[in-house]
Amino acid sequence: MDLNALVAEASGILDAAVEPFLAGHRADSAVRKKGNDFATAVDLAIERQVVAALEHATGIGVHGEEFGGTAVDSEWVWILDPVDGTFNYAAGSPMAAILLGLLHNGEAVAGLTWLPFTDERYTAVAGDPLMKNGVPQPLLTPVTLADSLVAVGSFNADSRGRFPGRYRIALLENLSRVSSRLRMHGATGIDLAYVADGILGGAIGFGGYVWDHAAGVALVQSAGGVVSDLSGRPWTPESRSVLMAAPGAHGEILDIVRATGNPEDY
């Protein structure tokens, strides 16, 4: 596969989705999902549009957040999140994006993250530098946690599950003792793109699925960042947490995660 050619094709397809993405800002909930999650009509329409165009242009199947599709464990598969940050998007916040990753046997070999409201386009191909609006970006340099912005996922303090709310509060408390620059954007894909771009020193996702992570994994790896789950294990499409950071900061954050203890104890 010519990955650069595939990313060029995919870039044109995502560009064609920008107009309906912008036009649908503040769209209401159209489909109720698990818990208090939902999808807007824009999520559904963009996924249909992008899937049809990608499969026609590249011959590679797509697995999307809203409709599923080609199996994630296929040899080649595009992974699509048509609107990352749906709550933000519906509320009118500009912190929303289109995420597209390409997996080859479970490895994120290419990624595209489009931020239509700020006109930023990030692309990455394994082995090549991170590109921002078509311009190669320098590799990330080591940073310290104390000097870094760190993004964390949103949550309910009383929630249970794999990472209970009380555990998350404890972790944020411990992080805040080193970095007083914690941020909560409500869009995992944007957090990961901003790690790759050096805006954030690190980002923690307490949950998420492959469509939340795949594009960002490719971006951060191309930028020279460190990618893992919250236990420190290498990220895989089955990972349900993520820790991505610049060199230096990743190790510091992971030490704090481990010192916070076992989530099940909370």
Side-chain angles (χ1 to χ4, degrees):
M1 292 285 187
D2 183 338
L3 294 179
N4 285 292
L6 289 172
V7 167
E9 287 278 5
S11 295
I13 290 167
L14 294 194
D15 283 344
V18 166
E19 183 176 349
F21 187 99
L22 294 173
H25 205 201
R26 293 184 182 270
D28 292 331
S29 169
V31 176
R32 181 65 55 182
K33 295 160 68 173
K34 183 179 179 181
N36 66 346
D37 198 6
F38 63 87
T40 69
V42 180
D43 291 83
L44 308 180
I46 288 179
E47 183 160 320
R48 290 188 184 103
Q49 175 181 327
V50 171
V51 168
L54 276 174
E55 292 184 342
H56 175 75
T58 70
I60 297 173
V62 183
H63 187 96
E65 176 180 5
E66 307 306 336
F67 298 113
T70 300
V72 172
D73 61 359
S74 299
E75 182 181 8
W76 291 93
V77 59
W78 294 105
I79 305 294
L80 173 66
D81 186 345
V83 181
D84 175 53
T86 300
F87 281 89
N88 292 346
Y89 185 81
S93 165
M95 295 297 287
I98 307 172
L99 313 179
L100 181 65
L102 179 62
L103 300 184
H104 176 49
N105 291 325
E107 180 182 355
V109 295
L112 302 90
T113 296
W114 261 225
L115 284 69
F117 296 113
T118 55
D119 198 27
E120 294 170 303
R121 292 162 169 79
Y122 295 95
T123 61
V125 168
D128 288 350
L130 174 73
M131 305 291 287
K132 181 180 182 181
N133 293 340
V135 179
Q137 302 299 296
L139 288 173
L140 295 172
T141 57
V143 300
T144 63
L145 181 57
D147 294 328
S148 299
L149 295 177
V150 178
V152 295
S154 54
F155 62 93
N156 178 333
D158 293 327
S159 65
R160 300 304 302 165
R162 186 179 293 106
F163 300 104
R166 298 297 170 183
Y167 167 80
R168 301 183 194 198
I169 290 172
L171 177 57
L172 297 191
E173 180 180 342
N174 292 336
L175 284 168
S176 74
R177 293 192 173 100
V178 181
S179 172
S180 60
R181 300 173 176 88
L182 302 181
R183 300 292 184 265
M184 192 176 289
H185 298 134
T188 301
I190 293 179
D191 287 346
L192 302 185
Y194 280 178
V195 170
D197 196 14
I199 297 168
L200 297 172
I204 293 172
F206 293 111
Y209 295 89
V210 64
W211 50 79
D212 299 303
H213 302 157
V217 169
L219 298 182
V220 173
Q221 288 179 334
S222 284
V226 185
V227 175
S228 73
D229 66 12
L230 267 180
S231 72
R233 292 187 296 263
W235 181 88
T236 73
E238 290 75 40
S239 295
R240 293 296 177 264
S241 65
V242 67
L243 168 55
M244 300 195 194
H250 185 278
E252 288 189 77
I253 296 171
L254 189 58
D255 285 345
I256 292 171
V257 170
R258 289 170 172 163
T260 301
N262 296 319
E264 55 268 27
D265 293 337
Y266 289 81

